[in-house]
Amino acid sequence: MIDSSRHHGNHRRRLCVNGQAHDVDIPDNTTLAVVLRDMLALTGTKVACNQAACGACTVLLDGRPVFSCHLLAAQVGDRPVRTVEALADGMTLHPLQAAFIEHDALQCGFCTPGMLMAIMGAGSGMADRDDVVRAISGNLCRCGAYPHIIDAVLSCRGRAAP
Amino acid sequence: MITDPSPSLDPWPQGALRVVGRRVTRASATDKVTGRTCFASDVALPGMAHAVVLRAAIPRGRVLGVDAAAAMTVPGVIHIAGPFDFPLPPGTAYSLGPSFRPRPVIDAEVRFVGEEIGAVVAETPVAARLAARLVQFDYAPQPAVLTMAAALAPDAPRLAADGNIVGGGDVLSAGDLEGGIAASDVVVEACYATEAQHHNVLEPHGCVAAWDAGTLIMWDSSQGCHAIRERLAAVFELPLKRVRVISEHVGGGFGSKITLKPYHVIAAQLARLVGRPIRLFTERRDEFIASHHRAPTERTIWLGATSAGRLTFIAQRVSGQAGPSALFARNAAGAANGLRLHGCPNVRAEIRRVLTNTQAPIPFRGPTAAEDIFCLEQAIDEMAHALAMDPLDFHRRNIADIEPFTRLPYAGNGLRACYDRGAAAFGWNWRPPQDADDSVLARGIGMGAVAYDGTLYEDSQATVAAHGDGRIEVCVGLTEIGCGADTVFAQIAAEAFEVPVDLLHTRFGDTHATPRSIDSTNHSRTTTVVGPAVRAAAQALRALLMERGARLLQTEAAHVMQRGAAVARRDDPGVAVTFGVIAAAAGGVLSATRSREAAPDGVFQAMFGAHFVEVEVDRRTGRVRVLRAVCAHDAGRVVNPLLAESQVQGGFLQGMGMALFEERVTDPRGGHLLNATMWAYRMPGVADTPASIRFVDGSVPDISNSLGVKGIGEPPLIAAGAAIANAIFNACGVRIRSYPITPDKVLAALAGRSRA
Ligand code: FES
Ligand code: FES
């Protein structure tokens, strides 16, 4: 079988995802989203537009939110990646996740992982509605869950340190 | 399988019940916030190959030849099929019904830019995309019609033998139009237009298809596993049991994922051809150009009223863009819901569904009704203004007693409650438009109402099962599209069962594990169709548990009672068996499947609502901001106010998108969509969200079914647009009759007024 990846040159890379090191053979043209979803089976991260326009693929890179659909895995280096799968501590949900459930901050749920990671990346200093709006202004929710997302985030002010 | 309806159950009492009517949190929310929910696009099978559809780059013509030589050199390419060598399935290629001439899923005939003309299969998605770009098509183009105006021009190319208006047109009418005109003191006439709207679901359309010993298994991002299964079985000429469709959760549908689409058939055929599972998910650009949309429409509306504010007639001439064939034309335009909204006895609408070389319209949340009511409710506001009357007052004077076309009474009409409770919650304090005021930021208020036809009866089955481990399972054959079907049916069963809702689990989304509860989740009807079946099954299982429990307790059913999730002796409640033990004794599972009850005779079901909004218009930039909204809805009994609030807020925001932002930019000669990206096609984002979108329950007792439920999915979108447009008029005295109301139109209208 011919491997299309050989075409672009494969490189063995070590990625640190959710506190665990993974050695993966990947072509240079592979995005972080593809590595997470297709190679590490971390399908919590969604790809909706693949156009760097909706934020569904947001993960934390060194604590900062990035669009994983438009970041090459080769650019990650040794910086830690954190995905939605690592938000809860075992069976204990992160307060932000609990607030999303309590306020019904989702409908279809496809934007939810990206929303959560964008909010996590904005840090704990969110004081008011405008801060929340800024944090997720790069994330689209076609179901229109924004009002409940805002309610959820504001409800955990002061207790949702990432 | 069509079954006889169950006998009607006793109606539930009014008011909040034990579990129904409570803010129960969404059952699937934990999986959704932890990333554990498996959407169809998350499915990966061993040996899976990846497919990309090849799409036409011209709006009309024929493919003459395909050159795939360069594409075949891409490492990892497995197969490339064009229109001349694609293996078509045995059954009707792609059709909703026998009266339509089907175009095969892949064909040399091209009728719009983006139509399916081939497919590539490769080892990886990247290789498939790379190869797809290298396939060359040779076309014989034909003259195309890209707009309704072009299609109606005298010398326009004919897209069907009988001309470019499907069936020559359509008329809806009731009452005596001439009499209504004669009785009117004031007549208002205006022309309106609405723009196409793209669903832009976050999870793209697509599926993973695999064949297992002659059975087709498909993980599909659809709104209804049973609908897709039935259509696939027809296309592949397979018995139903040889097709299994799994659509549990879907990342957004809004109407776009109801019907069988070409990709379903293409993926299944390619999987058979290459002997491997196929993953086929649409790229975002293709979502825009070929996953269908809400039709653009144009209409002229004439209204008449007496000086006392009673409507005497409504007449409309409507056109909607129908795409290349009659197949989806019914989604192009309609007027019935607008005409049934107000108590106007004399109504008439002439509807033209116009063939064009554009993708066809398919339902989008409130299909045809949103386009209709966005315009009609602006005309109503214009009439109130012509009469110098508060628009709320005008609305209140025109509440319908009966449905005009069937002349039946409504099973419940909460419109007055919506007006009263909505206005009170909003603090409606109307004053005429402030056109003399020249401040930079102009504020205004507006309102708009909605009526939407519901579903009184459809065949539906549900199963409720008690398991040996103590679980009670509600088993419904439907897909959960974000509306909360994973939660509300558990509430309904828990109510019927008198057990806490946490004891109930809901299973759905797999045709091999569920009865057929509904074909597809659409038309705001899932709760009203399936709810009574769930209640009937829960009651039947409860009776069965009592009977079996009594037997285990060595007494008769009359001598036992329910205690929590157990059956106890009446004379000695300490002697009891749990439901789990009863189920274990019955072999591990005890279940009851029931059909839903029959519909009441002689009534018409409709949902109603009224929105009240405040906007701010920036006179320098033309920008409109919606500051707040109150959305009063008569959805019948609200099973879960928390989830209903989500539906209302989401619907309002989509309506706001249609009213203010969402617009295609199309190359007028080639028919190519120029803004086929999530960033260039502007949709509401969090920064556009009003500070508050408040849901107000405007329901009144409704006799549609024994639960008293209707629906809430679509009306919040439908009512939003006109309320916003009317608030803009109220803010600055300009009327913008062409949606979306973008800043350039506002500035032009303000400039026109200051010149006048
Ligand atoms: S999927 Fe990455 S931004 Fe949309
Ligand atoms: S919940 Fe569906 S896109 Fe946000």
Side-chain angles (χ1 to χ4, degrees), chain A residues 1-8 29 34 37-38 43-54 56 84-88 90-91 93 96-98 100-113 116 129 132-134 136-148 150-151, chain B residues 23 25-26 29-30 32-35 37 39 41-42 75-76 123-127 129-130 197-204 250-252 254 276 279 283-285 288 364-365 480-482 642-643 645-647 649-651 653-654 662 676-679 681 683-687 689-691 693:
Chain A
M1 196 189 303
I2 316 167
D3 181 1
S4 75
S5 53
R6 220 183 297 147
H7 191 55
H8 296 274
N29 64 358
V34 168
R37 288 179 50 84
D38 296 353
T43 52
T45 300
K46 303 300 179 205
V47 175
C49 71
N50 215 19
Q51 294 172 330
C54 76
V84 69
E85 284 89 350
L87 211 46
M91 293 300 286
L93 294 178
L96 183 62
Q97 291 173 310
F100 261 55
I101 297 172
E102 186 189 327
H103 292 271
D104 202 41
L106 54 95
Q107 290 168 46
C108 78
F110 209 77
C111 69
T112 310
L116 289 167
R129 189 179 189 274
V132 185
V133 168
R134 241 188 314 278
I136 57 168
S137 60
N139 294 63
L140 281 169
C141 173
R142 189 49 157 165
C143 298
Y146 306 120
H148 278 173
I150 294 168
D151 292 348
Chain B
R23 294 171 76 91
T25 56
R26 190 180 289 270
T30 304
K32 285 180 174 175
V33 299
T34 50
T37 301
F39 294 88
S41 54
D42 296 327
E123 296 292 343
T124 65
V126 175
R129 283 202 293 272
L130 206 62
Q197 187 182 24
H198 290 278
H199 301 78
N200 240 327
V201 290
L202 254 69
E203 183 184 31
V250 51
F254 315 121
R276 290 168 58 176
R279 182 181 193 277
E283 292 280 294
R284 183 56 51 181
R285 187 185 126 76
F288 276 100
F364 187 149
R365 209 167 184 175
E480 158 45 19
I481 67 170
L642 175 65
L643 304 192
E645 199 170 273
S646 287
Q647 285 286 299
Q649 292 175 339
L653 286 168
Q654 275 180 347
E662 299 186 36
T677 62
M678 283 257 200
W679 46 270
Y681 177 86
M683 290 181 294
V686 67
T689 303
I693 305 172

Side-chain angles (χ1 to χ4, degrees), chain A residues 37-38 41-47 84-85 107-110 112-113, chain B residues 27-45 48 203-204 206-208 218-222 225 245-252 257 279 281 478-482 486 508-510:
Chain A
R37 288 179 50 84
D38 296 353
L42 293 170
T43 52
T45 300
K46 303 300 179 205
V47 175
V84 69
E85 284 89 350
Q107 290 168 46
C108 78
F110 209 77
T112 310
Chain B
S28 58
T30 304
D31 283 349
K32 285 180 174 175
V33 299
T34 50
R36 282 200 295 264
T37 301
C38 182
F39 294 88
S41 54
D42 296 327
V43 170
L45 300 181
M48 184 169 83
E203 183 184 31
C207 65
V208 173
M218 189 175 279
W219 288 262
D220 186 29
S221 181
S222 83
C225 50
V245 175
I246 301 162
S247 300
E248 203 175 11
H249 294 280
V250 51
K257 295 176 179 172
R279 182 181 193 277
F281 275 83
L478 51 80
T479 295
E480 158 45 19
I481 67 170
D486 55 349
F508 51 92
D510 179 350

Side-chain angles (χ1 to χ4, degrees), chain B residues 279-656:
Chain B
R279 182 181 193 277
L280 195 172
F281 275 83
T282 309
E283 292 280 294
R284 183 56 51 181
R285 187 185 126 76
D286 293 355
E287 281 288 309
F288 276 100
I289 66 170
S291 75
H292 309 263
H293 57 203
R294 185 195 295 283
T297 65
E298 291 164 7
R299 69 188 73 211
T300 305
I301 299 177
W302 296 267
L303 297 180
T306 65
S307 46
R310 289 285 308 193
L311 279 165
T312 55
F313 78 94
I314 303 175
Q316 294 206 43
R317 194 168 290 153
V318 187
S319 318
Q321 191 181 287
S325 80
L327 181 60
F328 290 114
R330 69 194 169 92
N331 303 315
N337 280 309
L339 298 180
R340 60 171 68 98
L341 170 54
H342 300 291
C344 179
N346 312 305
V347 297
R348 180 183 168 87
E350 290 170 22
I351 302 168
R352 296 186 301 182
R353 300 176 176 100
V354 183
L355 295 177
T356 47
N357 292 112
T358 57
Q359 59 177 325
I362 53 167
F364 187 149
R365 209 167 184 175
T368 75
E371 301 88 292
D372 172 22
I373 289 175
F374 268 43
C375 301
L376 182 75
E377 280 293 283
Q378 262 212 75
I380 293 283
D381 201 72
E382 302 205 36
M383 174 58 88
H385 187 66
L387 292 167
M389 196 177 270
D390 176 344
L392 176 62
D393 192 17
F394 185 76
H395 277 86
R396 280 193 176 121
R397 287 172 199 230
N398 289 284
I399 290 179
D401 298 321
I402 57 163
E403 200 276 341
F405 303 108
T406 58
R407 308 201 60 80
L408 293 173
Y410 290 106
N413 180 349
L415 209 37
R416 188 177 298 281
C418 291
Y419 294 151
D420 294 349
R421 295 174 207 164
F426 185 82
W428 180 259
N429 188 6
W430 188 82
R431 44 127 182 90
Q434 309 292 90
D435 33 350
D437 176 6
D438 268 335
S439 55
V440 169
L441 297 177
R443 286 195 177 189
I445 59 172
M447 68 162 296
V450 53
Y452 194 59
D453 59 310
T455 306
L456 262 188
Y457 179 78
E458 252 172 47
D459 184 37
S460 176
Q461 286 99 51
T463 302
V464 181
H467 288 264
D469 59 7
R471 265 179 316 132
I472 305 172
E473 195 172 68
V474 179
C475 201
V476 279
L478 51 80
T479 295
E480 158 45 19
I481 67 170
C483 307
D486 55 349
T487 314
V488 296
F489 295 124
Q491 287 181 265
I492 288 168
E495 190 70 49
F497 239 107
E498 296 182 31
V499 292
V501 70
D502 347 327
L503 279 188
L504 281 122
H505 297 254
T506 310
R507 180 195 268 229
F508 51 92
D510 179 350
T511 55
H512 270 42
T514 57
R516 184 190 193 278
S517 300
I518 199 163
D519 53 356
S520 181
T521 293
N522 62 281
H523 207 82
S524 307
R525 73 198 213 286
T526 304
T527 308
T528 195
V529 168
V530 185
V534 170
R535 185 181 171 208
Q539 291 193 353
L541 177 62
R542 188 181 178 204
L544 195 59
L545 284 163
M546 299 298 278
E547 183 195 310
R548 298 291 180 92
R551 218 183 292 162
L552 287 178
L553 295 173
Q554 294 173 340
T555 179
E556 277 153 43
H559 297 142
V560 295
M561 60 184 192
Q562 182 180 347
R563 270 190 66 205
V567 177
R569 285 186 73 111
R570 274 183 194 282
D571 52 359
D572 185 359
V575 180
V577 275
T578 64
F579 290 170
V581 169
I582 301 170
V589 192
L590 198 60
S591 74
T593 299
R594 286 294 180 276
S595 295
R596 64 154 290 158
E597 64 198 0
D601 285 329
V603 291
F604 190 93
Q605 189 197 85
M607 294 152 259
F608 296 93
H611 285 191
F612 301 82
V613 304
E614 180 169 14
V615 302
E616 184 178 83
V617 181
D618 185 327
R619 289 179 202 261
R620 289 165 313 186
T621 62
R623 191 172 158 214
V624 176
R625 283 203 310 144
V626 179
L627 302 175
R628 65 191 180 102
V630 168
C631 308
H633 285 276
D634 168 21
R637 179 196 299 278
V638 176
V639 177
N640 187 324
L642 175 65
L643 304 192
E645 199 170 273
S646 287
Q647 285 286 299
V648 168
Q649 292 175 339
F652 180 85
L653 286 168
Q654 275 180 347
M656 186 181 95

